[in-house]
Every structure is written in C-alpha cells, then in structure tokens.
Amino acid sequence: MRSRIKTAVGRAKYAAIGAAIGAAVGGLLSRNAASTGGAVGGLAGATLGETRVSAETSFAELKQKVQSEVAAED
C-alpha cells in the first residue's frame, strides 16, 4: 500500500511541475497554447514521475534482496 501511495504522489508531483512549465512556455505564445502546453507538460511529467518512482522502487528491492542474500551466507 505504501508503494502505491508513493508512486501516486511522485507521479502527481512531476505532473504538476510539467504542467506548470508547459503552461508557462505555451503562455508566451497564446492562451490556447498555454492550455495545450499545460496538458502536454502534465502528461510528460506524469510519465517521467512513473519512470523515476519505478526505478527507485526497483533499486530498493534489489538492494534488499542483496542484503538478505549476504545475511543468509553468514
């Protein structure tokens, strides 16, 4: 349950940052571009957040597995 919450929060954080950056860049052109930029930036941020959180989770699982194997050898 904790990993699901961590994944959701991480994805939401990156999506919000991506949407803000996309809207700011699009806002330099027009109001419609700001809306589109926010949507595209949010999608890109969510994708990045999912990838990063998944990588961190995989690394933590691998680290735990190695530690348990080292402890089993002792």
Side-chain angles (χ1 to χ4, degrees), residues 40-62:
V40 172
L43 181 61
T47 303
L48 178 66
E50 178 70 26
T51 303
R52 180 172 177 161
V53 171
S54 296
E56 288 176 355
T57 303
S58 297
F59 179 73
E61 290 174 359
L62 179 63

Side-chain angles (χ1 to χ4, degrees), residues 4-5 14 16-17 25-26 30 38 51 56-57 64-65 69 74:
R4 286 185 180 180
I5 293 171
Y14 282 101
I17 292 169
V25 172
S30 70
T51 303
E56 288 176 355
T57 303
Q64 185 179 16
K65 183 176 179 181
E69 287 181 6
D74 293 335

